[in-house]
Amino acid sequence: MKQLEYAFMAKLAIHIKEQLRKGVKKPYKTIIDVSFGDPHKAGVKPLTFARQVIAACTYPKLMNSDKLPLDAKQRAQWLLDRCPGQSVGSYTATAGIPETVHKISAFITRRDGGAPSDPKNIFITAGSQWALMNILNVLVNKQASPRTGVLTPAPGHDKAVLSIVGMGGETIPYYLTEEQGWALQVEELQRALDSAQGVCKPVALYVINPGNPAGHVQSRKSIQEVIRFVSEKRLFLLADEVYQDCVQGENTEFVSYKRVLNEMGPPFSETVELASFHSVSKSVMGECGLRCGYVELVNVDPAVMKHIFTLFSKGSCSPVLGQIALDVMINPPQPGDPSYTLYNQETQHIRDMLIQNAKRVYEVVNSLPGLSCQPVDGGAFAFPRVFLPPKAIKKAKDLGMEPDTFYSVRLLEEAGVFVRPGCGYKQKKDTYHIRFCIMTPRDMMDELLGRLTSFHRKFMMDFA
């Protein structure tokens, strides 16, 4: 039902755009679409070096041009030499270009303070969600009785929940603590686990760090507690870490589950089964349309690894242009390279934009009566709570809508701002939220917040 409501909003947005194109007068001239985490769609510029390498790989004659820097040409040639027939139109190895897989392994080791990473445990995939679905396909037994259960965060990524349910599994929501910046509490994990008794058999815990949609970043202590919990309960740990590049909170840093697991030492580092996901879509690179990411598996039984490899092989290889972007992401230009200065300027600009947008959202939203937003320490989304008046809730129910869907539809119709209602993310009962992407140019964010402010004040007065 909630997915149908979002589909209705998407159709409404298309209808409004068509009206605007035909000259129908509205209080706004354009729709600001922040319903998805698609930075390029929002106007964030692609990274020059990545596009130069991709362009040269697609049309190798560009390497004879003086318009590309030397390191872009060299990287493109290096990658083409590793594509069969020196063409991006050919299949690569199922797990990805072998040398790029080794680069990912080296990247993980650098990121994680020297923690060993075996290339044989890394698979390049057609996006992180594709990899997650295939791992879930191994964990979820469709014929099992009772059904297989997976602990999932609430609020959390809706596609993961749909995948589990679609495979015949059961989602076991554990609620993040909004009042504490959407913190993950082990006590809540235990409550969720207890609630599954007699309903399903829990086999895995899914975590999103940095959070989507909540925007929290787990501390090292929090991660340690989660690792101890899954170790004690014998749960497979699924760590969605695709927003690891996007950390904007003061005194906040991303620490991977793999790193903390390695630091904890035996028995944890030798027994806890872990799958960690990353993507070119949700990094600072923001190449959503190229559909590429990777998964690293840790402490997984060799027989299970063989089965996973067989599942991944059914899809041949991930898109080669995506693999090229991934190669750039995990091994960008270094100091002294011709492209380093520009690459560093562009990535820093995006990070500064995220920091400024997160601060601005926090300040503006919390200044409005009836809205409350936790700090967006990481990720690409704000998830403010909307304290809807009773009259608005009644009106929504009379129309057969979830209350925050009603608010979001009115926001789209009256202010031209397209957000997603919180009801699609498993929020606590009788709480209402909206989710919107903050990885947008600053002028767009200022316009969005201006429209939201005007709309919200009028909405609250209309239903006072």
Side-chain angles (χ1 to χ4, degrees):
M1 179 62 182
K2 295 177 179 64
Q3 294 301 316
L4 291 175
E5 288 180 341
Y6 177 73
F8 164 73
M9 288 191 63
K11 289 181 180 179
L12 178 60
I14 293 172
H15 174 67
I16 293 173
K17 287 178 182 178
E18 183 63 19
Q19 286 183 316
L20 292 170
R21 189 185 68 82
K22 292 179 178 179
V24 176
K25 289 187 177 181
K26 292 185 179 292
Y28 47 88
K29 295 182 179 180
T30 59
I31 284 182
I32 299 177
D33 186 349
V34 283
S35 61
F36 273 90
D38 188 344
H40 293 177
K41 180 180 179 181
V44 177
K45 300 300 181 185
L47 299 179
T48 301
F49 181 75
R51 287 302 178 88
Q52 287 173 332
V53 173
I54 291 169
C57 285
T58 305
Y59 188 61
K61 287 185 178 180
L62 285 174
M63 284 185 275
N64 298 325
S65 166
D66 59 1
K67 294 182 179 180
L68 294 183
L70 179 61
D71 53 345
K73 295 178 184 179
Q74 290 173 334
R75 178 70 66 91
Q77 189 61 61
W78 185 90
L79 286 161
L80 283 176
D81 288 344
R82 282 147 185 83
C83 293
Q86 289 197 322
S87 171
V88 295
S90 59
Y91 289 121
T92 68
T94 301
I97 299 170
E99 291 84 355
T100 298
V101 173
H102 278 77
K103 283 187 182 181
I104 295 170
S105 175
F107 160 78
I108 292 170
T109 297
R110 290 195 307 272
R111 182 198 67 187
D112 294 343
S117 174
D118 189 340
K120 293 195 296 293
N121 296 332
I122 297 169
F123 298 88
I124 298 177
T125 63
S128 62
Q129 288 302 305
W130 188 92
L132 175 60
M133 286 178 61
N134 277 279
I135 300 297
L136 287 170
N137 205 12
V138 174
L139 296 173
V140 176
N141 185 343
K142 296 178 182 179
Q143 283 77 42
S145 180
R147 287 191 293 176
T148 304
V150 179
L151 279 76
T152 57
H157 196 266
D158 53 339
K159 289 183 180 178
V161 171
L162 290 171
S163 296
I164 295 166
V165 173
M167 292 174 186
E170 187 82 21
T171 59
I172 311 164
Y174 62 88
Y175 292 94
L176 305 177
T177 307
E178 182 170 6
E179 298 77 14
Q180 297 181 28
W182 298 109
L184 193 166
Q185 306 282 359
V186 170
E187 295 80 9
E188 173 59 15
L189 292 180
Q190 185 62 57
R191 182 210 61 77
L193 196 65
D194 292 342
S195 74
Q197 292 183 11
V199 178
C200 63
K201 181 183 178 182
V203 299
L205 169 66
Y206 175 53
V207 295
I208 308 174
N209 181 49
N212 174 13
H216 65 288
V217 179
Q218 282 185 267
S219 66
R220 183 180 259 99
K221 179 182 177 183
S222 173
I223 294 172
Q224 290 171 346
E225 291 173 347
V226 171
I227 289 173
R228 290 191 183 97
F229 179 84
V230 297
S231 176
E232 178 187 345
K233 308 302 179 182
R234 300 180 66 83
L235 298 173
F236 195 109
L237 182 54
L238 302 162
D240 188 334
E241 300 176 320
V242 298
Y243 284 107
Q244 60 188 263
D245 284 354
C246 304
V247 176
Q248 52 269 2
E250 292 184 11
N251 302 316
T252 303
E253 66 171 341
F254 168 79
V255 184
S256 75
Y257 269 84
K258 166 76 179 294
R259 177 169 188 159
V260 176
L261 181 62
N262 183 70
E263 291 172 348
M264 291 175 72
F268 306 104
S269 61
E270 296 175 350
T271 57
V272 171
E273 294 177 296
L274 167 69
S276 172
F277 307 89
H278 196 10
S279 168
V280 299
S281 300
K282 308 308 179 186
S283 66
V284 170
M285 184 170 284
E287 293 285 2
C288 300
L290 295 182
R291 308 312 306 141
C292 194
Y294 73 79
V295 58
E296 182 188 26
L297 297 163
V298 180
N299 294 327
V300 177
D301 183 272
V304 177
M305 284 290 291
K306 185 177 180 180
H307 183 52
I308 290 172
F309 186 83
T310 300
L311 273 177
F312 281 16
S313 298
K314 289 181 179 179
S316 298
C317 66
S318 64
V320 176
L321 293 183
Q323 293 190 53
I324 291 169
L326 180 60
D327 189 276
V328 172
M329 182 185 80
I330 51 91
N331 189 30
Q334 299 299 306
D337 292 345
S339 298
Y340 173 76
T341 299
L342 179 59
Y343 187 90
N344 189 54
Q345 287 174 349
E346 290 177 340
T347 54
Q348 191 58 51
H349 172 75
I350 294 172
R351 292 190 172 95
D352 289 345
M353 177 191 72
L354 268 172
I355 291 170
Q356 293 301 318
N357 285 351
K359 287 181 178 178
R360 186 93 175 105
V361 167
Y362 181 77
E363 292 168 358
V364 172
V365 170
N366 286 314
S367 71
L368 297 171
L371 282 177
S372 173
C373 188
Q374 297 298 314
V376 186
D377 288 334
F381 299 99
F383 196 63
R385 183 173 177 179
V386 187
F387 295 86
L388 293 171
K391 288 183 180 179
I393 295 173
K394 182 180 184 304
K395 180 66 173 178
K397 292 180 177 178
D398 289 344
L399 293 171
M401 288 185 182
E402 291 289 331
D404 46 17
T405 298
F406 174 66
Y407 181 90
S408 300
V409 167
R410 292 284 293 264
L411 177 60
L412 175 56
E413 289 178 328
E414 298 177 20
V417 177
F418 187 8
V419 301
R420 296 195 71 170
C423 60
Y425 300 95
K426 287 276 187 181
Q427 57 198 351
K428 281 186 178 180
K429 185 180 179 181
D430 297 328
T431 67
Y432 311 108
H433 299 79
I434 57 173
R435 187 195 82 158
F436 58 88
C437 181
I438 66 166
M439 191 178 276
T440 68
R442 295 181 195 176
D443 57 347
M444 178 183 287
M445 183 55 59
D446 287 341
E447 175 69 16
L448 183 158
L449 292 172
R451 293 191 195 184
L452 175 63
T453 298
S454 299
F455 163 80
H456 181 76
R457 286 174 175 160
K458 181 179 181 299
F459 182 93
M460 298 300 280
M461 287 178 61
D462 289 345
F463 292 96

